[in-house]
């Protein structure tokens, strides 16, 4: 329990950090809010286990219920908003359902008697069935709907974005486990204390919940973290390849160099490296007989007279092969930069 | 001639806390003179316009079309031979349109960088710098020849960043190019684009 709680809070902090660094779209805010509500809800459960109330009402349990219903609402909105059929009126209806849920939770709140020193699970209390059906049932339906939509999105994105598809699949599996746990809780509440096997069902439900929440948190974080890590890695690698040629160009053609002292944004640096090298190729000259090949041009640029203007010299840009598209252009640039750094003493 | 901004006054849709990191775009801690305040206001207005006009396709031409609509002034991009000029691109503002001239040999990535730089001048409402007189004389000639009889009210060329206005335009241009690249990286699937 403590481990799951710690993981939930770590995942929540990572998610908010990612949300803050990237543009905070409503979807990102909603998903972060979902995870936050789950983490708070688990904190209340943890507190309830550590400091059980001796007299009703069990305030931590009540707060747990409220946070979980809020998590269900934000998760529903997050997944549903990605589909065009969710209008403002329908979003308002979902919010209304959440308010109704809170009201019903209060009305059906079981009049629990707490025997000091004895932990009585509310699942077995008489009169708790309606309450649990409303609470767990609503939550189960929310998670099931969210899980189905996430699975659909994972299926649609399996070719375009494999990483996102994997993350959404993990998210879906987490939803599935949570729904299974919730169904087990409802089943246990239905049979009540008359059936001794209900104790095992409750234990199973808790295990499913824990695994489900771990997968939900993992999928939620990895959905944004994995593409970011992959992009950062690719940018770092490309910047490392371009840096020697970039520095050479900045030194040889100061007019193309935009002052970047103290700049730490790697994406901006990479963009400047590409553009300044491309600009520099129009100012740097190579012998007219140089082959139109990135390696040959790189070798010519390394020569001491590279960069001089003369009748027998032409701008390097004239010889640089034109890529078929943007990616092709940048690939040529990278090939030339690699060849330039490989040939350096 | 002052450009008239007819676009809607728009603000960012997200709180400042969550706006993307752009340290290079922060203003230096100068004395808040009227000129700097105007410059800051122009930068803020340019960013607000970009937030609204940024196309999901991440295509520079789509962005220009949207900026055209927002500002109510035509923007035309022309590719001509600028190899002897010393500039890689220039912006010529006429009485009824803005012309962005790009070096005709520029590839896609460089063309985008040049157009973004000139678009930044347009958005920042920059004035021609008298220190670049030689280039400006040449550029005005080219602009007049290319644009016909219309007078080029002001001309700015992209050639080095010694001047503050050029530096700011290049920084804003880089920011625009990065925003476009981010839009292009977004998943093509509409559902996934939202979930991400």
């Amino acid at each position: 329990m403590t481990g799951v709680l710690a993981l939930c809070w770590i995942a929540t902090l990572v998610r908010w950090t990612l949300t803050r660094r990237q543009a905070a779209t409503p979807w990102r805010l909603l998903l972060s809010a979902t995870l936050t509500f789950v983490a708070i809800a688990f904190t209340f459960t943890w507190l309830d286990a550590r400091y059980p109330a001796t007299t009703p009402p069990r305030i931590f349990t009540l707060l747990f219920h409220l946070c979980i219903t809020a998590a269900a609402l934000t998760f529903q909105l997050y997944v549903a908003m990605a589909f065009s059929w969710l209008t403002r009126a329908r979003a308002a209806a979902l919010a209304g359902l959440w308010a109704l849920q809170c009201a019903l939770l209060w009305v059906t709140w079981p009049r629990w008697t707490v025997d000091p020193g004895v932990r009585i699970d509310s699942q077995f209390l008489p009169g708790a069935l309606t309450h649990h059906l409303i609470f767990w049932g609503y939550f189960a339906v929310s998670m099931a709907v969210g899980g189905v939509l996430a699975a659909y999105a994972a299926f649609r994105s399996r070719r375009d974005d494999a990483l996102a598809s994997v993350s959404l699949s993990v998210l879906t599996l987490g939803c599935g486990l949570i729904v299974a746990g919730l169904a087990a809780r409802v089943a246990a509440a239905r049979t009540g204390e008359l059936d001794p096997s209900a104790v095992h069902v409750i234990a199973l439900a808790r295990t499913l919940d824990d695994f489900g929440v771990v997968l939900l948190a993992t999928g939620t974080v990895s959905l944004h973290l994995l593409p970011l890590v992959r992009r950062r890695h690719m940018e770092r690698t490309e910047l490392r390849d371009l840096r020697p040629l970039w520095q050479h160009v900045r030194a040889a053609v100061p007019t193309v160099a935009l002052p970047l002292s103290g700049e730490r944004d790697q994406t901006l640096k990479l963009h400047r490296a590409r553009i300044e090298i491309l600009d520099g190729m129009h100012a740097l000259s190579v012998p007219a007989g140089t082959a139109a090949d990135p390696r040959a041009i790189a070798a010519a640029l390394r020569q001491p007279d590279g960069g001089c203007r003369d009748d027998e010299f032409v701008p390097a840009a004239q010889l640089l092969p034109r890529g078929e598209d943007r990616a092709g252009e940048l690939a040529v640039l990278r090939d030339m930069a690699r060849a330039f750094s490989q040939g350096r003493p | 001639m002052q450009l008239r901004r007819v676009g809607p006054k728009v603000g960012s849709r997200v709180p400042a806390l969550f706006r993307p990191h752009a340290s290079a775009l922060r203003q230096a801690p100068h004395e808040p003179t009227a000129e700097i305040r105007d410059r800051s206001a122009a930068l803020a207005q340019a960013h607000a316009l970009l937030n609204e006009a940024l196309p999901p396709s991440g295509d520079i031409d789509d962005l220009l079309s949207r900026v055209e609509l927002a500002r109510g002034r035509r923007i035309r991009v022309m590719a001509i031979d600028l190899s002897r000029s010393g500039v890689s691109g220039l912006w010529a503002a006429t009485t009824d349109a803005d012309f962005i001239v790009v070096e005709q040999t520029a590839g896609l990535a460089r063309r985008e960088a040049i157009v973004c730089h000139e678009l930044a001048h347009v958005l920042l409402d920059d004035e021609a710098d008298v220190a670049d007189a030689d280039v400006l004389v040449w550029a005005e000639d080219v602009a007049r020849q290319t644009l016909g009889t219309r007078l080029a009210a002001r001309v700015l060329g992209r050639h080095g960043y010694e001047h503050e206005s050029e530096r700011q335009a290049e920084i804003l241009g880089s920011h625009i190019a990065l925003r476009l690249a981010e839009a292009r990286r977004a998943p093509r699937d509409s559902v996934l684009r939202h979930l991400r």
Side-chain angles (χ1 to χ4, degrees):
Chain A
M1 176 66 197
T2 308
V4 175
L5 178 63
L7 188 96
C8 270
W9 276 113
I10 291 169
T12 304
L13 289 175
V14 172
R15 256 221 69 84
W16 279 111
T17 308
L18 289 172
T19 306
R20 192 179 177 281
R21 287 181 68 87
Q22 300 174 328
T25 59
W27 293 272
R28 287 172 181 164
L29 289 173
L30 277 173
L31 193 55
S32 303
T34 301
L35 206 53
T36 309
F37 281 128
V38 169
I40 296 174
F42 263 66
T43 306
F44 285 132
T45 308
W46 184 82
L47 286 171
D48 191 41
R50 291 287 178 285
Y51 311 103
T54 52
T55 54
R58 293 168 68 175
I59 191 70
F60 289 140
T61 309
L62 176 63
L63 291 172
F64 166 79
H65 284 191
L66 289 177
C67 285
I68 283 293
T69 48
L73 172 74
T74 49
F75 187 66
Q76 269 185 328
L77 284 174
Y78 161 69
V79 184
M81 274 174 73
F83 296 86
S84 54
W85 51 260
L86 187 81
T87 57
R88 281 188 182 177
R90 285 170 184 165
L94 276 176
L97 268 179
W98 179 71
L100 179 66
Q101 171 73 4
C102 291
L104 285 173
L105 272 176
W106 188 255
V107 170
T108 61
W109 186 259
R111 302 289 175 261
W112 296 338
T113 53
V114 181
D115 188 1
V118 179
R119 293 281 295 135
I120 300 174
D121 199 302
S122 59
Q123 305 284 357
F124 303 112
L125 287 169
L129 177 61
T130 313
H131 177 80
H132 284 287
L133 274 177
I134 289 170
F135 176 63
W136 297 120
Y138 170 78
F139 190 38
V141 170
S142 301
M143 294 304 287
V145 171
V148 167
L149 295 181
Y152 175 58
F155 178 75
R156 279 175 61 144
S157 60
R158 68 195 185 284
R159 284 186 187 151
D160 279 357
D161 193 336
L163 278 182
S165 182
V166 169
S167 296
L168 285 168
S169 301
V170 171
L171 195 74
T172 306
L173 190 58
C175 287
L177 289 180
I178 291 173
V179 170
L182 295 172
R185 284 176 189 278
V186 172
R190 194 179 66 78
T191 54
E193 60 187 340
L194 297 175
D195 187 356
S197 66
V199 177
H200 302 295
V201 175
I202 289 291
L204 174 68
R206 284 181 178 154
T207 309
L208 289 172
D209 283 350
D210 285 351
F211 276 109
V213 167
V214 168
L215 289 179
L216 188 74
T218 307
T220 302
V221 171
S222 66
L223 187 60
H224 289 98
L225 190 61
L226 287 182
L228 192 69
V229 169
R230 181 177 60 175
R231 205 181 96 202
R232 285 291 145 95
H233 173 71
M234 289 167 68
E235 284 179 350
R236 197 180 308 119
T237 315
E238 187 174 349
L239 191 58
R240 192 186 59 209
D241 288 347
L242 293 182
R243 196 179 292 277
L245 181 57
W246 184 30
Q247 286 172 345
H248 176 79
V249 168
R250 281 175 76 93
V253 195
T255 53
V256 304
L258 183 72
L260 284 174
S261 57
E263 181 56 54
R264 294 170 61 191
D265 186 344
Q266 185 176 262
T267 312
L268 178 64
K269 279 186 183 174
L270 178 60
H271 172 74
R272 292 308 310 167
R274 289 166 173 169
I275 296 306
E276 287 175 16
I277 292 173
L278 284 172
D279 280 342
M281 289 304 108
H282 286 261
L284 291 174
S285 303
V286 294
T290 307
D293 173 72
R295 290 181 167 277
I297 296 170
L301 287 172
R302 278 198 308 273
Q303 300 304 315
D305 53 355
C308 296
R309 286 202 173 277
D310 192 279
D311 289 344
E312 293 177 1
F313 282 71
V314 293
Q318 275 189 21
L319 301 175
L320 202 62
R322 296 284 294 271
E324 289 180 3
D325 52 13
R326 196 185 307 267
E329 275 179 22
L330 299 178
V332 168
L333 210 62
R334 203 169 170 183
D335 283 349
M336 184 171 64
R338 277 184 186 146
F340 181 84
S341 50
Q342 280 167 6
R344 285 205 312 175
Chain B
M1 182 191 71
Q2 290 296 313
L3 295 184
R4 194 163 61 90
R5 294 184 190 283
V6 295
K9 284 199 169 183
V10 291
S12 176
R13 283 175 297 182
V14 294
L17 179 69
F18 298 112
R19 282 189 198 135
H21 171 71
S23 60
L25 299 167
R26 288 193 199 117
Q27 290 293 300
H30 299 303
E31 287 295 314
T33 61
E35 187 185 347
I36 289 172
R37 276 199 299 272
D38 287 351
R39 196 72 181 165
S40 302
L43 262 176
Q45 201 169 5
H47 280 285
L49 182 61
L50 280 174
N51 283 339
E52 286 299 307
L54 197 78
S57 64
D59 187 79
I60 183 69
D61 294 320
D62 290 347
L63 174 65
L64 291 176
S65 304
R66 286 166 172 241
V67 172
E68 261 184 359
L69 279 176
R71 295 176 68 245
R73 263 176 74 85
R74 286 188 307 136
I75 301 178
R76 291 289 173 269
V77 179
M78 306 164 68
I80 65 173
D81 182 10
L82 296 173
S83 57
R84 284 181 298 171
S85 67
V87 299
S88 52
L90 62 90
W91 161 47
T94 68
T95 49
D96 61 346
D98 290 299
F99 288 84
I100 292 176
V101 181
V102 185
E103 167 62 51
Q104 66 181 6
T105 59
L108 284 174
R110 190 157 180 262
R111 177 186 181 272
E112 184 181 271
I114 295 167
V115 173
C116 286
H117 174 97
E118 303 306 340
L119 179 62
H121 278 309
V122 173
L123 296 177
L124 293 174
D125 207 6
D126 279 333
E127 294 292 337
D129 198 319
V130 289
D132 304 323
D134 292 342
V135 173
L136 291 178
V137 167
W138 175 89
E140 280 174 356
D141 284 345
V142 170
R144 285 198 188 97
Q145 287 166 18
T146 314
L147 308 180
T149 56
R150 280 172 293 191
L151 177 68
R154 74 178 106 176
V155 178
L156 268 173
R158 178 177 181 262
H159 61 107
Y161 313 117
E162 299 88 18
H163 305 297
E164 185 60 24
S165 61
E166 285 300 315
R167 203 157 37 236
Q168 284 192 353
E170 187 65 13
I171 290 172
L172 181 57
S174 294
H175 181 69
I176 297 170
L178 289 177
R179 295 280 303 269
L180 289 172
E182 195 179 329
R184 284 195 296 272
R185 270 197 304 270
R188 274 172 289 174
D189 184 271
S190 61
V191 173
L192 184 61
R193 191 161 54 232
H194 287 131
L195 292 182
R196 283 272 297 275

